Amino acid sequence: MSTLYVVSAGPGDSELVSPKSLAAIEASSDLVAYGLYLQLLGDVCNDKTHHDLPLGEEINRARLALDLAASGKTTALISSGDIGIYAMATLVFELLDQQLNGQENKPEWLDVEIEVIPGISAMQAAASRVGALLGHDFCTISLSDLLTPWQTIEKRLHACGQGDFVVSFYNPKSKTRDWQMGAARDILLQYRPGTTPVVLGRQLTRADEQITLTTLQAFSVDDVDMFTLVSVGNSESRHIVNGDKEWVYTPRGYKKKL
């Protein structure tokens, strides 16, 4: 039986790619990915057949990976971060679901053995850079309305505010979507103080990484692009300073036990 490995490449630092992900890539003859991910992985991708499809070709990437595996080639479909979080894993299973419901004509896909390998997502990388922002209940929200209507996103933003969740925003801004992050900030300001800590992590764990600490009130959308992960604390998150060191953490309630 052929195998499709659905592989997480982590946020960018080669040392944060799990041994299991590396083993899956090494076991594969064919690698399907956006080209940048293969570049970041480096030598482990040598002597493999690369199938580099550009951004916007996610459906075709998933189809190709399933086709290659169904043809008998051990294949790795690779995505940055955790491939199960706003990434390619869901497309693989959506296509399999469509095949099972008669919407595809690819019965050979159902004979493919699939293994999903988790990884470190951008929100975890950002939190680790500043301390322990995700120390209590949190959620993630994608601000891209290309696949999800803004009305649904807006409802989730209000639910996040009402629930006082720490929140990490994926897809905060692009050349054609420049207002959603500001709208999200304004909604959260209805529920938590303007002094709430905000972490901006750009190109996390990569050579040109930039970490910025600010507050919800002072946060400028001009400081954000598609390479930025935006994490907003809850009403209890703390920004603490010790000389030239700064940390952000979200307490769990241990204070009354200390």
Side-chain angles (χ1 to χ4, degrees):
M1 181 179 291
S2 56
T3 301
L4 171 59
Y5 293 108
V6 184
V7 178
S8 301
D13 185 342
S14 61
E15 294 184 354
L16 295 179
V17 184
S18 75
K20 194 162 188 177
S21 287
L22 293 174
I25 294 169
E26 289 171 351
S28 300
S29 63
D30 290 69
L31 310 179
V32 181
Y34 173 50
L36 175 63
Y37 305 153
L38 301 178
Q39 294 173 26
L40 290 170
L41 284 164
D43 292 345
V44 70
C45 297
N46 291 346
D47 302 319
K48 310 290 182 182
T49 302
H50 293 191
H51 304 269
D52 174 3
L53 277 72
L55 292 176
E57 293 290 327
E58 287 76 17
I59 295 174
N60 288 334
R61 253 183 267 155
R63 286 184 178 278
L64 176 59
L66 283 165
D67 284 340
L68 288 167
S71 73
K73 297 179 179 179
T74 302
T75 302
L77 175 62
I78 302 169
S79 189
S80 64
D82 185 304
I83 199 165
I85 300 176
Y86 302 121
M88 293 297 300
T90 185
L91 267 174
V92 170
F93 294 104
E94 189 167 353
L95 288 170
L96 292 174
D97 190 11
Q98 290 188 176
Q99 172 59 34
L100 288 166
N101 284 286
Q103 298 167 281
E104 298 281 347
N105 186 24
K106 294 281 188 174
E108 63 272 21
W109 286 351
L110 301 180
D111 293 326
V112 173
E113 185 73 23
I114 297 174
E115 182 176 353
V116 181
I117 301 172
I120 295 173
S121 185
M123 65 177 174
Q124 295 164 283
S128 73
R129 285 299 197 243
V130 300
L133 181 61
L134 304 180
H136 209 332
D137 297 337
F138 62 90
C139 67
T140 65
I141 296 176
S142 170
L143 292 181
S144 173
D145 57 358
L146 296 177
L147 300 176
T148 304
W150 175 253
Q151 291 82 359
T152 299
I153 297 171
E154 191 173 32
K155 184 187 299 183
R156 291 171 181 170
L157 287 165
H158 282 285
C160 167
Q162 291 166 359
D164 200 24
F165 291 102
V166 174
V167 57
S168 293
F169 290 110
Y170 287 70
N171 306 311
K173 184 180 176 183
S174 71
K175 291 180 180 178
T176 59
R177 295 185 299 99
D178 59 1
W179 59 269
Q180 287 90 343
M181 187 68 250
R185 175 200 59 207
D186 293 344
I187 289 172
L188 289 183
L189 279 168
Q190 299 175 31
Y191 299 98
R192 59 194 66 174
T195 54
T196 301
V198 174
V199 178
L200 309 181
R202 189 178 189 278
Q203 297 284 36
L204 284 157
T205 78
R206 303 176 189 181
D208 52 348
E209 176 186 83
Q210 295 177 342
I211 302 293
T212 303
L213 299 182
T214 184
T215 64
L216 194 56
Q217 186 67 59
F219 165 46
S220 172
V221 179
D222 292 338
D223 296 331
V224 175
D225 60 18
M226 275 298 290
F227 300 103
T228 307
L229 187 282
V230 180
S231 291
V232 181
N234 69 12
S235 62
E236 296 186 357
S237 296
R238 298 268 295 150
H239 176 196
I240 57 177
V241 180
N242 178 25
D244 61 350
K245 298 178 182 178
E246 297 182 75
W247 300 289
V248 178
Y249 77 99
T250 303
R252 287 190 63 198
Y254 286 113
K255 185 175 182 179
K256 53 183 170 289
K257 295 180 178 292
L258 294 176

